[in-house]
Amino acid sequence: MSADRPVEAAREEAIDAIRSGYTFTEPAIDVGVLSVDDEPVPDARIRIPLAMLNRHGLISGATGTGKTITLQVLAEQIARAGVPVFAADIKGDLSGMATAAEPTEKLLARTAKNGQDWRPAASAVEFYALGGQGKGTPLRATISSFGPILLSKVLELNETQESSLGLVFHFADQAGLPLLDLQDLVAVLKYLDSDEGKPVLKQIGGLSSQTVGVILRSIVNLEQQGAGVFFGEPEFDTNDLLRTTADGRGVVSMLELPNVQDRPALFSTFLMWLLADLYHDLPEVGDADRPKLVFFFDEAHLLFSGASKAFVQQITQTVRLIRSKGVGVFFVTQTPKDVPGDVLAQLGSRIAHQLRAHTPDDAKALKATVNTFPRSSYDLAELLTQLGIGQAVVTVMDPDGVPTPVAWTRVFAPESKMGPTDAAQQDRMIAASPMMARYGRQINRDSAYEMLARKLAQGAENAQSTTSAHNADRTNGMPLVSAGVQPKQSQPKQSQAKAPSKSSKAQKSVIEQVADSSAFKQFARSAGREVVRSIFGTARRR
């Protein structure tokens, strides 16, 4: 017995240290309870302070280990605390948050064992769908507000092509040509590669026909994936993500992403646009007692796969800077290796579910995960491969910004349904939503495509009129010479140089109607007319 007492004392001391490390006077949400020797310790709650949610986080783990359930548990409690939530529903399971869970004998036994005060409850959910593809209010953004950097990621352009696309946006901004949808962008690209447009572009830099061809082909590929419906108006106002209910709960904005494997770059980049737009609009709040919004990036590896250096830099800047605007970002993915190191360094909370080490790549991922945690008494390399479903290894930031002790955790059960909400119920909720009334009907106002079409048609008409007038002058002049009437003396060459012909003026008219040529010659002085873009390359709302 005497030999067991030191072991038992050390065990209790370790439990006390973890219990103390997660005991906060500030408001917090519960992740679960401590697990010791695979048994729950109900009075040792593992929690995340609300004020630290804007220090961001990572939820990782192999497929089928409970990442989505953990996301659901966190989202429920964050919303209940009055903080709005945005989540991408990749597999359709998260829609269950709109429906209260059905108590079962197994579920009640589990929650009772963990000491969870569980009762069925639904969250206030708003359903969205990109461009209306899927169930929900359509989400759209204009090409102009998306910006060249984000759009280059979607189009899978290299750095040179990305730079050229930035030049196209610069031209459209200067010329007052709204880029609202893909049709507008195609029209501007074709114009700049035409005989009429090339002289204009030379004033601010060249654009090769080969690059134009690459960009146009990429746009065609994107349209064939059905992406054209994602760009246009009415453009979604990201402030609508910050809604709360009459009883003070945060609204869970849920974006359905069907067939994400067909266009992963578009889906993930659209989510980045939402974050960048929020950054533009929100005021600085510093270290608030709770965030204004918590954003969950499920299947986060889609965001970084094949990303350009500029895009990764943008994500890093967004994550680093948006904290001061009161927005928290959680990445949900299989391993920390899916997230670039500079981004990973910004993530204060770590929740790691089971990892598998069946291959050399798996072993590297396991080692990388272990290295993201503070030192502890656990053999994490062994523990992470033995965790059961719904269990995780956790460390978060305490209110002083210090990492909490690493804790083997039994994650709580969600109070909403673990699985999709009934389709008929979703349809009723969507039809009754004020967001559907605001964004449901697509509009197509005058933009670059229509403007260029009109101006090119007018230019062609002017040129034809000038040619007809010139031919008439030549015909009328012939009888005067044949009758021996001396024509008027020619003007000096200098005077002729000062009087441009109608034909010359007509040739310029197309360009001059698109943009004042003198403004292009001095474009540096007219930058005030250009759409204001942020460090992220996206356009700010005026």
Side-chain angles (χ1 to χ4, degrees):
M1 293 293 294
S2 58
D4 292 335
R5 287 175 182 172
V7 174
E8 184 66 23
R11 180 177 181 273
E12 289 301 321
E13 184 178 347
I15 293 173
D16 286 341
I18 292 175
R19 183 188 293 113
S20 175
Y22 288 89
T23 301
F24 315 119
T25 56
E26 294 84 353
I29 62 170
D30 294 328
V31 180
V33 296
L34 178 65
S35 179
V36 176
D37 298 330
D38 206 15
E39 287 295 320
V41 183
D43 65 342
R45 295 288 180 99
I46 307 303
R47 319 178 77 204
I48 305 176
L50 273 176
M52 292 292 106
L53 288 173
N54 67 344
R55 300 297 180 94
H56 313 314
L58 176 71
I59 302 172
S60 61
T63 301
T65 57
K67 298 189 300 297
T68 302
I69 296 300
T70 298
L71 188 165
Q72 189 170 341
V73 169
L74 297 184
E76 282 181 352
Q77 295 186 67
I78 292 168
R80 191 179 303 130
V83 178
V85 172
F86 181 93
D89 189 9
I90 302 294
K91 297 179 287 291
D93 295 343
L94 276 178
S95 66
M97 290 186 66
T99 306
E102 290 285 344
T104 64
E105 184 176 342
K106 182 178 179 181
L107 177 61
L108 293 175
R110 173 190 170 190
T111 56
K113 185 176 183 179
N114 290 339
Q116 180 181 358
D117 183 18
W118 186 90
R119 55 175 60 89
S123 298
V125 176
E126 187 75 56
F127 293 105
Y128 293 100
L130 287 188
Q133 290 199 346
K135 285 184 177 292
T137 298
L139 280 187
R140 301 183 184 92
T142 62
I143 290 289
S144 182
S145 72
F146 221 68
I149 296 178
L150 286 180
L151 192 59
S152 295
K153 160 67 173 171
V154 173
L155 297 175
E156 300 181 356
L157 304 181
N158 61 32
E159 292 185 7
T160 300
Q161 294 156 357
E162 180 180 303
S163 176
S164 297
L165 188 61
L167 193 62
V168 174
F169 273 72
H170 175 75
F171 164 78
D173 293 346
Q174 288 278 317
L177 297 171
L179 298 176
L180 303 184
D181 52 29
L182 290 175
Q183 194 176 35
D184 292 326
L185 182 58
V186 168
V188 172
L189 282 164
K190 288 183 175 179
Y191 171 76
L192 290 177
D193 194 42
S194 69
D195 292 338
E196 293 87 353
K198 284 179 180 177
V200 178
L201 193 59
K202 285 181 180 178
Q203 302 295 332
I204 54 175
L207 182 67
S208 72
S209 296
Q210 183 180 8
T211 299
V212 170
V214 170
I215 298 175
L216 286 173
R217 285 193 296 273
S218 298
I219 292 173
V220 169
N221 290 336
L222 195 63
E223 285 186 306
Q224 288 177 342
Q225 296 176 14
V229 297
F230 302 148
F231 297 103
E233 293 184 312
E235 183 173 89
F236 183 69
D237 185 348
T238 49
N239 282 306
D240 284 330
L241 299 178
L242 307 179
R243 298 162 56 220
T244 55
T245 62
D247 59 359
R249 292 177 298 155
V251 171
V252 179
S253 298
M254 193 166 297
L255 177 62
E256 183 176 336
L257 297 176
N259 304 319
V260 67
Q261 68 277 3
D262 295 336
R263 37 190 179 269
L266 179 64
F267 286 135
S268 59
T269 310
F270 196 97
L271 300 184
M272 269 312 299
W273 172 82
L274 290 178
L275 270 184
D277 199 68
L278 281 166
Y279 178 81
H280 301 159
D281 292 348
L282 292 176
E284 295 279 340
V285 296
D287 292 323
D289 59 352
R290 64 185 59 214
K292 289 188 174 182
L293 174 71
V294 176
F295 204 100
F296 287 93
F297 263 114
D298 201 2
E299 301 293 339
H301 66 279
L302 299 176
L303 186 65
F304 304 104
S305 177
S308 67
K309 184 183 298 184
F311 187 75
V312 172
Q313 288 174 346
Q314 182 203 357
I315 296 173
T316 305
Q317 286 177 317
T318 303
V319 173
R320 181 183 297 122
L321 299 177
I322 205 168
R323 179 182 71 82
S324 65
K325 302 297 185 85
V327 178
V329 182
F330 275 71
F331 294 97
V332 185
T333 190
Q334 293 192 5
T335 78
K337 285 184 65 179
D338 296 332
V339 181
D342 289 343
V343 177
L344 196 62
Q346 307 296 320
L347 311 182
S349 297
R350 308 293 171 91
I351 302 174
H353 290 269
Q354 182 195 114
L355 290 176
R356 295 161 189 144
H358 302 318
T359 68
D361 285 343
D362 290 343
K364 290 179 182 178
L366 175 62
K367 183 177 180 181
T369 303
V370 170
N371 291 337
T372 64
F373 282 86
R375 290 183 180 179
S376 70
S377 60
Y378 295 112
D379 181 349
L380 289 181
E382 181 178 354
L383 178 60
L384 284 168
T385 60
Q386 296 178 354
L387 291 172
I389 296 173
Q391 299 183 16
V393 173
V394 178
T395 181
V396 304
M397 301 288 277
D398 71 15
D400 295 324
V402 177
T404 57
V406 178
W408 177 6
T409 304
R410 297 172 71 93
V411 178
F412 279 163
E415 296 181 344
S416 55
K417 183 179 178 181
M418 289 183 280
T421 286
D422 178 71
Q425 180 183 343
Q426 283 190 60
D427 291 339
R428 290 191 296 270
M429 294 175 66
I430 294 165
S433 167
M435 296 294 100
M436 177 58 80
R438 183 172 181 180
Y439 298 109
R441 184 177 180 181
Q442 188 170 13
I443 59 177
N444 185 21
R445 66 183 173 94
D446 222 26
S447 54
Y449 175 82
E450 292 82 6
M451 291 178 180
L452 284 172
R454 283 197 304 271
K455 295 178 191 302
L456 289 171
Q458 183 63 48
E461 183 180 335
N462 290 346
Q464 185 176 2
S465 299
T466 302
T467 301
S468 299
H470 181 63
N471 290 337
D473 288 343
R474 291 180 60 190
T475 302
N476 293 336
M478 287 178 64
L480 294 176
V481 176
S482 62
V485 179
Q486 293 295 323
K488 291 183 180 179
Q489 177 127 6
S490 301
Q491 296 292 329
K493 290 184 179 180
Q494 183 176 358
S495 298
Q496 289 180 353
K498 290 183 179 179
S501 68
K502 292 183 180 179
S503 177
S504 173
K505 186 175 181 179
Q507 288 174 0
K508 289 186 178 181
S509 65
V510 179
I511 299 171
E512 290 173 344
Q513 289 179 72
V514 176
D516 184 357
S517 60
S518 62
F520 275 95
K521 292 176 183 178
Q522 300 176 5
F523 72 93
R525 292 190 296 172
S526 61
R529 294 190 293 109
E530 187 169 2
V531 172
V532 180
R533 297 191 183 276
S534 71
I535 57 175
F536 306 120
T538 50
R540 302 185 183 189
R541 277 194 193 87
R542 294 189 180 279

